[in-house]
């Protein structure tokens, strides 16, 4: 639950004459919120990356992976099977979840995968 604060793709800043790319979407949490798996899968990796925070990567098979970052209270373990809709972590009201989808090394627009 939350509002998309930054959409997928490239954005041009005319004032600075720069182009930035968001490989996923950013979701601003309304309050303390569960982060749920969008599909069944296996937990491929759990790590921490400076500037990104905690990161979970789920492998859904057929070349599909989802990436959830800037999360806390991770509730799963590497190599664990997770079902679609199950809680994998949490974000608090001051956090912005970053969510990416990859298929065979190609980035995909995650908005199409969200529950409306």
């Amino acid at each position: 639950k939350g509002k998309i604060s930054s959409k997928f793709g490239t954005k041009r800043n005319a004032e600075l004459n720069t182009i930035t790319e968001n490989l996923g979407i950013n979701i601003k949490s309304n309050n303390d919120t569960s982060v749920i798996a969008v599909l069944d899968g296996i937990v491929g990796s759990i790590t921490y990356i400076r500037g990104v925070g905690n990161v979970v990567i789920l492998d859904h098979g057929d070349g599909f992976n989802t990436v959830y970052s800037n999360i806390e209270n991770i509730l799963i373990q590497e190599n664990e099977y997770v079902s679609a809709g199950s809680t994998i972590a949490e974000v608090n009201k001051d956090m912005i979840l970053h969510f990416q989808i990859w298929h065979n090394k190609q980035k995909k627009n995650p908005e199409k995968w969200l529950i409306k």
Side-chain angles (χ1 to χ4, degrees):
K1 296 178 182 175
K3 180 180 179 183
I4 296 175
S5 59
S6 183
K7 293 190 175 270
F8 173 80
T10 57
K11 290 155 192 62
R12 181 174 178 77
N13 183 322
E15 201 173 295
L16 298 175
N17 196 28
T18 58
I19 296 175
T20 57
E21 181 177 23
N22 190 350
L23 300 176
I25 58 174
N26 297 341
I27 303 171
K28 174 76 171 110
S29 176
N30 298 351
N31 48 27
D32 293 347
T33 302
S34 296
V35 176
I36 61 170
V38 296
L39 283 175
D40 296 350
I42 302 292
V43 181
S45 180
I46 299 174
T47 192
Y48 176 86
I49 299 174
R50 179 185 245 165
V52 176
N54 293 317
V55 178
V56 169
I57 301 173
L58 300 182
D59 181 344
H60 304 286
D62 293 327
F64 282 97
N65 291 279
T66 51
V67 180
Y68 307 79
S69 58
N70 198 30
I71 56 178
E72 61 183 19
N73 300 332
I74 297 170
L75 304 171
I76 53 177
Q77 303 290 322
E78 286 186 356
N79 300 313
E80 182 179 342
Y81 176 83
V82 296
S83 299
S86 61
T87 300
I88 60 171
E90 296 175 341
V91 292
N92 68 41
K93 66 180 178 165
D94 299 320
M95 297 175 78
I96 297 174
L97 168 69
H98 182 71
F99 176 56
Q100 298 179 7
I101 298 184
W102 293 84
H103 182 238
N104 295 329
K105 299 183 182 180
Q106 294 183 341
K107 55 193 173 289
K108 299 293 180 184
N109 185 346
E111 284 189 65
K112 297 175 182 177
W113 292 53
L114 298 177
I115 296 171
K116 302 291 181 192

